[in-house]
Amino acid sequence: MKLQQSFWSNVRSRLKYWCKKTIVAMIVVTLSINLCGATWNQLGTNSVLISVLAQGNAITDPEAILRYALPIDNEPIRKVQDAIEDISNHLRGKRWPPIAKDVKRASFVLTLRSDEILDGVPSDRQSQAETILEDIKTGVSELQEAVENKDKEEVWIKRRNVLDNIGNIESLMVKGFPFEIPEEYADLPQLKGRATVEIETTKGNLTIVVDGYNAPVNGGNFIDLVQRGFYDGLSFIDLEDSFAIQTGNPPGEEEGFIDPETGEYRAVPLEVRVKDDQEPIYGATLEEMGIYLPELVLPFNAYGAVALARPSLDPNGGSSQFFFFKFDSELTPPGFNLMDGRYSVFGYLVDGEDVLEDLTKKDKIISAKVIDGLNNLVEPKNS
């Protein structure tokens, strides 16, 4: 089950080959729809058709992905978030008119629909939400002033502060766990919410937010192993072309976690949630299920996406090994993310990008600790 360089080299080659063939097919479709029948049959009608239609800009900020991944349904706060998030698309180029428009949109919603935002928060959290909402309004006003002054640095800072508060009020809106986890996974730890893990390495610290709302089985497995101290002292594996770095392989012959209570290898399933689906898909890659280039709640778009490693031929053979994905434009171009649905993301690096970039196979984990959200871990029923 070890995902060493030879395996990752094969994965990368296969994905790049698939992508190239798809692009060729797209060109053929453009030039002559009447000549593409043979290629259509070779590649699969659905995959090529959806590839032709795939478009859009990918969200690459891990914290933005995590905000959008919260299981809430409150249109006005999402409109405010959308407007403030969009500023980053224009700020690097100092495109001030669309930035001003974004801030104005956010201010308009906050002025007219504050009551609707607060209505999305349970009554026992209303007081806290009201305070945060006032902070958001103040922050948007300060942001508007920074935009008027065309102060790029100040806009970045104010934007971040506003988004942090938006994330805080959105977290208050979450009402319970959003779906029932299949009973067949009741013997595995489950994370019914979010948790934050700090990993101390020989190069520095990494902070990960694990999202149990969308990957409760993979997330629960990881948090359980962190809590057991399983990862302490384990080395990293620097993978092919340094597009990912992996860890979690225990010393000795075993390639995953052996449950001391049962003496058996803990096998963890592939777990992927497609946007707008009620619950994750388990046990098979999306490609195997005929779902091509999906929009996922937890995509590989961000640098430092954390995902479960697994054997190449067994979607349900993951265990303790996981990897940090270093954003790769060839594997994750907008609309053509070739990693999504083949491996399951369960969290994101939110602090320590420079540390992750420097890690090699000569480094190791000194310790891993759950610093927040341990109360969301649900132990297996048979434990």
Side-chain angles (χ1 to χ4, degrees):
M1 203 274 288
K2 294 179 182 178
L3 299 182
Q4 303 287 356
Q5 294 212 15
S6 58
F7 170 71
W8 279 101
S9 179
N10 180 49
V11 169
R12 189 182 183 92
S13 297
R14 284 171 51 223
L15 293 178
K16 289 172 73 174
Y17 173 74
W18 183 89
C19 184
K20 288 176 181 177
K21 290 202 72 174
T22 302
I23 293 171
V24 170
M26 289 169 60
I27 295 171
V28 171
V29 170
T30 303
L31 292 175
S32 176
I33 191 69
N34 294 321
L35 297 177
C36 69
T39 304
W40 218 259
N41 290 333
Q42 290 173 4
L43 298 180
T45 303
N46 289 337
S47 61
V48 177
L49 179 58
I50 295 175
S51 296
V52 171
L53 297 175
Q55 298 178 29
N57 294 321
I59 299 174
T60 59
D61 179 356
E63 296 194 56
I65 293 172
L66 287 165
R67 281 189 288 270
Y68 282 118
L70 284 169
I72 65 171
D73 183 19
N74 186 282
E75 182 192 8
I77 195 63
R78 288 302 197 196
K79 283 184 175 293
V80 176
Q81 181 185 343
D82 289 346
I84 303 301
E85 300 276 13
D86 188 59
I87 290 173
S88 66
N89 294 324
H90 310 293
L91 192 54
R92 287 184 179 85
K94 297 183 180 180
R95 298 167 58 197
W96 296 109
I99 293 172
K101 184 177 180 181
D102 283 335
V103 177
K104 185 176 181 179
R105 281 196 296 134
S107 179
F108 182 78
V109 175
L110 289 168
T111 299
L112 297 182
R113 305 184 69 181
S114 288
D115 289 346
E116 293 178 61
I117 292 174
L118 290 174
D119 285 345
V121 180
S123 58
D124 61 327
R125 307 171 197 166
Q126 283 280 329
S127 178
Q128 188 178 355
E130 288 173 0
T131 301
I132 295 173
L133 186 59
E134 288 306 311
D135 289 341
I136 292 173
K137 291 179 179 179
T138 300
V140 170
S141 295
E142 293 173 350
L143 182 56
Q144 191 166 22
E145 182 178 350
V147 171
E148 290 171 356
N149 294 331
K150 298 184 178 179
D151 187 335
K152 181 177 178 180
E153 184 177 352
E154 191 68 10
V155 169
W156 274 122
I157 294 170
K158 297 300 183 184
R159 172 185 174 274
R160 171 54 59 192
N161 291 340
V162 170
L163 286 173
D164 286 344
N165 277 318
I166 288 172
N168 291 337
I169 202 168
E170 288 176 343
S171 295
L172 293 178
M173 292 178 176
V174 178
K175 303 171 184 176
F177 195 73
F179 56 86
E180 290 294 325
I181 301 170
E183 185 65 25
E184 63 187 290
Y185 303 120
D187 61 340
L188 295 172
Q190 299 172 2
L191 184 65
K192 293 192 171 182
R194 286 184 174 170
T196 304
V197 173
E198 186 169 87
I199 298 178
E200 182 185 359
T201 78
T202 46
K203 286 283 175 59
N205 290 356
L206 306 169
T207 304
I208 301 169
V209 172
V210 181
D211 186 4
Y213 289 125
N214 298 287
V217 178
N218 282 201
N221 172 65
F222 179 70
I223 295 298
D224 175 70
L225 294 180
V226 169
Q227 189 65 8
R228 290 172 182 265
F230 179 88
Y231 295 110
D232 297 355
L234 296 188
S235 298
F236 287 95
I237 304 169
D238 198 5
L239 301 176
E240 179 72 15
D241 292 340
S242 296
F243 78 93
I245 191 162
Q246 186 172 312
T247 188
N249 182 36
E253 295 183 1
E254 301 298 343
E255 297 175 345
F257 174 66
I258 304 300
D259 192 326
E261 295 185 7
T262 64
E264 297 181 353
Y265 176 90
R266 180 192 282 174
V268 180
L270 186 73
E271 181 179 43
V272 179
R273 190 172 184 184
V274 178
K275 187 177 179 181
D276 297 328
D277 278 7
Q278 293 300 308
E279 58 189 43
I281 293 171
Y282 291 92
T285 67
L286 298 191
E287 187 176 22
E288 290 171 339
M289 301 187 68
I291 302 172
Y292 298 95
L293 300 175
E295 186 176 359
L296 301 187
V297 179
L298 302 179
F300 275 97
N301 293 338
Y303 181 90
V306 185
L308 183 70
R310 64 174 180 81
S312 58
L313 299 178
D314 185 3
N316 300 309
S319 185
S320 61
Q321 296 191 49
F322 68 95
F323 63 93
F324 292 93
F325 185 72
K326 298 181 179 181
F327 188 77
D328 186 299
S329 59
E330 291 184 340
L331 295 179
T332 56
F336 282 93
N337 192 322
L338 301 179
M339 292 291 290
D340 283 352
R342 291 174 172 84
Y343 300 90
S344 41
V345 174
F346 58 82
Y348 293 93
L349 180 76
V350 295
D351 191 34
E353 283 191 14
D354 54 337
V355 175
L356 179 59
E357 184 63 30
D358 288 342
L359 289 174
T360 71
K361 61 184 177 182
K362 295 180 182 179
D363 294 302
K364 62 175 57 179
I365 294 174
I366 296 173
S367 67
K369 297 179 181 178
V370 182
I371 60 175
D372 187 46
L374 185 60
N375 57 304
N376 293 322
L377 179 65
V378 179
E379 295 294 346
K381 289 183 178 180
N382 62 356
S383 62

